[in-house]
Structures are given as structure tokens and as C-alpha cells.
Amino acid sequence: MHTLLLLVQKLSCEVEEQIFSEVSLAIQKPESYFEMFKDRLDERGIDSPIDELAWI
């Protein structure tokens, strides 16, 4: 399992399933993650998929 996903499991408490699925999507399909959260990412100045999406 990806190290970041293990960290999510440890830190996410009651929303583990939601965060786990979002982080998994960002790791496995960054383009899909970007499209899903385009507005939120745009507010942060991110206008295209980047390798660090899972950390954001």
C-alpha cells in the first residue's frame, strides 16, 4: 500500500473512507482528481494536474 494512504488511515479518524478514496484517486488518476476538484484547486492556484495532488 502506498505510504501516503497508510498515513491517511492513521490521521483521518471518522472520515477515513472519504479521504482514503480521494487520496487514492489523486495518486492513481490525477487527471480525474483534478477534474473532480477543479474549482477547489483553482482557488489554490493549481490549474493542471501535478504530482503533489495527493498531498494537497
Side-chain angles (χ1 to χ4, degrees), residues 20-50:
F20 191 88
S21 67
E22 289 179 15
V23 172
S24 293
L25 181 63
I27 291 169
Q28 296 170 3
K29 298 180 180 178
E31 295 83 12
S32 297
Y33 179 88
F34 177 78
E35 287 302 317
M36 183 177 284
F37 298 103
K38 192 173 189 172
D39 292 338
R40 187 186 325 171
L41 294 168
D42 187 52
E43 291 173 1
R44 296 178 176 193
I46 301 169
D47 58 4
S48 64
I50 57 173

Side-chain angles (χ1 to χ4, degrees), residues 3-14:
T3 305
L4 184 55
L5 294 176
L6 292 173
L7 182 60
V8 165
Q9 286 180 319
K10 298 283 187 200
L11 299 176
S12 57
C13 300
E14 297 175 8

